[in-house]
Amino acid sequence: MNARTRTTLLATALVVGLSAVPAVAAPAPATAAAAVGHTTPGLDTLALRAAIAGAGKPGADATAALVRVGGAGGSWRGSAGVHDLASGAPADPEGRFRAGSVTKVFTAAMVLQLAGEGRVDLNRPVRAYLPDLIPAAYAKVTVRQLLNHTSGIPSAGSPGGSLDDVYAHRFESRDPKDVVREATAQKPDFAPGTEQHYDNIGYTVAGLLLERVTGDSYAHQLATRIVRPLRLTNTCVPGADPALRGPHNHGYQVFTAPDGSTDLRDVTVWGAGDTFAAGDLISTTADLEHFTNALFTGRVVRGPQLKEMFTLPGRSVRDMETGKAAAYSVGLSTIRLGGHDVWGKTGGRYGYNTAIGATLSPSGDVTRTLVYSVNSTDAKGEDMNPTAMKIMTAAFGAPDPA
């Protein structure tokens, strides 16, 4: 399984179901921080504490977990695990982390802002904005189809096919334009708008479109449009820098040798690769909680543009791989948990799993929000990390019956 496929499977974990994977053996740290948190009434705080209590312990599937739950029913802040396995120091609850595909929510929001300003038409072909990059074979793909994963543009390749190959290339980066050229040199996966296939490529194109329309860099637009107005002081895109700057908890990944033995490596320092506008964000749970509340209450995207984020493609559109109903809107995805529609986004980079999510009342008010960062030891596995799964269900409830 190549790295692109693993990324796609992780990102769709919220949509296709929550299933556990076996814990893997990890070296025992000197000490493991107990789960701690600040609570107010209205939440199942015992379940939330239990969800993260195992982080950082020998054999755990995560070395650290940071959680924030908010809303009308109360709030909870919790952290567990270790800063790093060598010292066993407690995890820093304010630590920065790689947010992976949660980046897509920020990218979608910025493109929607441009739509609200009249500078981008969601119904217009992408080729009208990027004529030199999008070939005639994809002339009918619209901006909206990029953002809701119905463009039919296939995945671009990744270096190597094994985790060891990916690790060997971890400091390399690719020009987003080259990624798009490689992808669009292939035949379409399907006619635009007829199916849905979650992948990074649509958001790579969207990031380039953002730069072309504004005449500015993605990073500067992110800072100008979202980071500075919301005062997200710990949120950025690192560019070519592979380091995770500022306070952070180390990320680890299990590597399996041909003989079945495992090796747990520190993967905190890792380049952006080809993630760009699809997965390059670094943030904190505090910043993402603030962003989630601002987004869902119309302070980032407004009016009909915000409605796009809660509008799924037509009922006839099915997921290309699973055959299930499309579950991705512009920037977000949705799943039924605890009898409610949960809207949000997951993300994964090696060593780190992240999610933002929220439920809304019939009148559109935010009733509950969740943000977590889990330092998963298999952050790009085929199934959702067990600790992340426990957090999700503790906050919102179990998945509704099929």
Side-chain angles (χ1 to χ4, degrees):
M1 181 182 296
N2 63 34
R4 177 72 61 191
T5 303
R6 292 170 68 86
T7 301
T8 301
L9 287 168
L10 169 74
T12 55
L14 251 180
V15 177
V16 300
L18 303 173
S19 53
V21 296
V24 294
T31 59
V36 295
H38 171 70
T39 69
T40 58
L43 295 172
D44 188 348
T45 58
L46 292 178
L48 287 165
R49 288 175 181 272
I52 64 174
K57 294 181 179 179
D61 52 74
T63 57
L66 316 177
V67 182
R68 285 175 173 255
V69 181
S75 63
W76 187 80
R77 310 285 181 264
S79 63
V82 295
H83 169 268
D84 65 277
L85 291 175
S87 71
D92 183 350
E94 306 301 325
R96 298 174 182 174
F97 48 82
R98 303 187 192 281
S101 286
V102 172
T103 309
K104 293 180 175 71
V105 188
F106 287 73
T107 301
M110 290 191 287
V111 175
L112 289 172
Q113 287 177 345
L114 289 174
E117 296 163 9
R119 302 171 71 183
V120 168
D121 184 343
L122 299 180
N123 294 312
R124 194 178 185 192
V126 179
R127 196 165 188 247
Y129 300 97
L130 298 168
D132 54 320
L133 190 61
I134 303 301
Y138 293 94
K140 294 184 179 180
V141 173
T142 67
V143 177
R144 180 182 289 104
Q145 289 164 349
L146 286 181
L147 300 176
N148 68 11
H149 305 283
T150 62
S151 71
I153 302 175
S155 305
S158 296
S162 71
L163 180 54
D164 282 307
D165 290 332
V166 175
Y167 182 76
H169 293 274
R170 67 191 182 281
F171 297 129
E172 297 178 8
S173 61
R174 300 185 67 195
D175 187 322
K177 293 180 181 178
D178 290 339
V179 175
V180 174
R181 291 188 185 102
E182 178 185 330
T184 55
Q186 306 174 66
K187 294 181 179 180
D189 282 338
F190 47 80
T194 61
E195 296 183 64
Q196 188 170 75
H197 180 211
Y198 177 86
D199 204 352
N200 284 346
I201 189 62
Y203 279 77
T204 301
V205 178
L208 294 170
L209 183 151
L210 175 74
E211 292 188 330
R212 182 67 61 85
V213 170
T214 62
D216 194 10
S217 70
Y218 178 88
H220 190 256
Q221 282 293 300
L222 177 70
T224 302
R225 290 179 171 274
I226 297 178
V227 171
R228 290 174 188 163
L230 295 182
R231 299 181 181 178
L232 306 180
T233 56
N234 289 295
T235 298
C236 67
V237 286
D241 188 353
L244 188 50
R245 304 293 179 181
H248 63 273
N249 301 307
H250 287 229
Y252 297 86
Q253 171 67 37
V254 171
F255 288 73
T256 304
D259 64 1
S261 61
T262 59
D263 172 27
L264 193 62
R265 302 180 197 175
D266 190 324
V267 293
T268 308
V269 180
W270 195 296
D274 62 359
T275 56
F276 182 47
D280 208 12
L281 195 76
I282 289 172
S283 193
T284 63
T285 54
D287 273 10
L288 290 183
E289 182 179 55
H290 184 53
F291 169 74
T292 300
N293 277 297
L295 179 71
F296 280 62
T297 55
R299 288 182 285 145
V300 179
V301 179
R302 298 175 177 83
Q305 286 74 44
L306 180 59
K307 187 177 180 180
E308 294 281 348
M309 304 192 86
F310 301 97
T311 303
L312 298 174
R315 292 185 179 181
S316 63
V317 178
R318 316 295 290 185
D319 185 274
M320 184 185 79
E321 295 181 339
T322 68
K324 296 183 178 181
Y328 287 93
S329 62
V330 171
L332 301 176
S333 64
T334 185
I335 187 175
R336 292 284 294 181
L337 294 174
H340 301 281
D341 291 324
V342 179
W343 291 88
K345 190 73 189 71
T346 58
R349 293 287 303 274
Y350 288 107
Y352 301 90
N353 279 150
T354 304
I356 65 172
T359 53
L360 305 174
S361 71
S363 61
D365 296 326
V366 176
T367 55
R368 178 156 298 174
T369 61
L370 167 68
V371 173
Y372 69 67
S373 169
V374 174
N375 292 49
S376 306
T377 56
D378 189 15
K380 288 181 173 288
E382 294 186 27
D383 298 302
M384 193 171 187
N385 175 268
T387 296
M389 177 189 69
K390 291 174 186 176
I391 295 168
M392 192 77 68
T393 56
F396 293 119
D400 286 13

